[in-house]
């Protein structure tokens, strides 16, 4: 069994990777927000969200992660993105 220091080092490595992936994701969603603003689309798309949550639950199950944990994390991410899309809309007006 790994010692505590090794376990924490592994967690730190994963955290770095997660932050890099989050940065990529937020760069993409920023572009989506700009597109939505330019084309008069709403900041939130409930249909798209429902599709995403179905995929996220499937991905979580495939990886042995509790789908409720994944849904809670992605709900927060999506709420941040929606908020940012609303900011972009208010800035452009």
């Amino acid at each position: 069994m790994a010692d505590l220091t090794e376990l924490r080092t592994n967690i730190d490595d994963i955290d770095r990777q997660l932050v890099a992936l989050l940065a990529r994701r937020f760069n993409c969603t920023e572009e989506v927000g700009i597109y939505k603003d330019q084309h008069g689309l709403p900041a939130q798309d409930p249909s798209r969200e429902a599709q995403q949550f179905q995929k996220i639950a499937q991905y979580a199950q495939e990886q042995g992660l509790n789908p409720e944990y994944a849904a809670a994390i992605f709900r927060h991410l999506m709420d941040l993105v929606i908020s940012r899309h609303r900011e972009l809309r208010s800035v452009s007006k």
Side-chain angles (χ1 to χ4, degrees), residues 59-93:
Y59 300 156
Q61 287 177 332
E62 290 169 0
Q63 295 299 317
L65 175 65
N66 182 331
E68 291 179 14
Y69 295 173
I73 292 165
F74 276 88
R75 176 74 270 159
H76 186 67
L77 287 173
M78 288 182 193
D79 288 346
L80 290 169
V81 168
I82 292 164
S83 176
R84 176 62 182 150
H85 289 182
R86 289 180 177 141
E87 285 176 16
L88 288 169
R89 174 73 44 89
S90 68
V91 169
S92 72
K93 288 185 178 187

Side-chain angles (χ1 to χ4, degrees), residues 43-59:
Q44 189 168 10
D45 183 343
S47 173
R48 167 77 174 156
E49 286 181 30
Q51 292 170 355
Q52 287 302 100
F53 278 113
Q54 286 178 343
K55 288 190 280 187
I56 289 162
Q58 178 184 340
Y59 300 156

Side-chain angles (χ1 to χ4, degrees), residues 24-50:
R24 285 181 53 202
R25 189 180 196 286
F26 278 105
N27 285 334
C28 290
T29 61
E30 184 78 4
E31 290 183 38
V32 169
I34 292 167
Y35 181 94
K36 285 181 173 184
D37 180 49
Q38 291 173 344
H39 293 87
L41 298 172
Q44 189 168 10
D45 183 343
S47 173
R48 167 77 174 156
E49 286 181 30

